[in-house]
Every structure is written in C-alpha cells, then in structure tokens.
Amino acid sequence: EEILPDETGIIIPQGDKALFVEQLHRLMTDNVLRAGMGKNAKRFAANFKVSSVADEWYALFDGIKNSMENSND
C-alpha cells in the first residue's frame, strides 16, 4: 500500500501503454491534480521514515520476546 490510487499516485497495470499515456497526459495537463498528488505523497511518505518504522519494529520484537518469555513459564 505504498501508493494510494488517485491520492498519492496512479497505478497502471504492467504493459498497459495506452493507460500509461492517458494518465501521464492527465498529470501533465492538470496542475491541481499533480500538485495535490505530490503533496499527499510527501505526507504519506512520512509514515515510512526510519524513526516511524523503527518504533513499529521494536514493538514487534518486544511482543515476540514477551510471548516467548510467557510461553516458557
């Protein structure tokens, strides 16, 4: 879920050249859409900063550690 369709980007099936051209033209000619998607993508990308993701990993490992410790009791 790195791309939210029409919010942070556009998803085009591999090999669909016609849709690629259509959507590229849409982005090139619609300044509001392009600026909005760029702004949304930048905000969404902040969710994937090392500091944010690291906290989630630490929580996951702590949960696994606690689960293993409790199962040994």
Side-chain angles (χ1 to χ4, degrees):
E1 303 203 13
E2 292 79 17
I3 297 175
L4 303 174
D6 290 327
E7 289 183 43
T8 62
I10 298 170
I11 297 175
I12 299 170
Q14 185 174 352
D16 192 337
K17 293 177 185 177
L19 183 59
F20 175 76
V21 169
E22 176 186 311
Q23 294 302 316
L24 182 59
H25 181 264
R26 180 176 160 222
L27 281 173
M28 291 173 65
T29 58
D30 189 334
N31 295 337
V32 173
L33 175 67
R34 187 174 59 250
M37 276 194 192
K39 187 181 205 179
N40 292 340
K42 186 174 183 179
R43 189 175 321 127
F44 186 67
N47 295 322
F48 302 99
K49 286 185 178 180
V50 171
S51 58
S52 300
V53 175
D55 290 341
E56 292 180 34
W57 279 102
Y58 285 128
L60 173 66
F61 290 136
D62 282 342
I64 292 169
K65 178 183 166 207
N66 292 336
S67 175
M68 291 175 69
E69 287 173 351
N70 291 336
S71 69
N72 291 333
D73 292 339

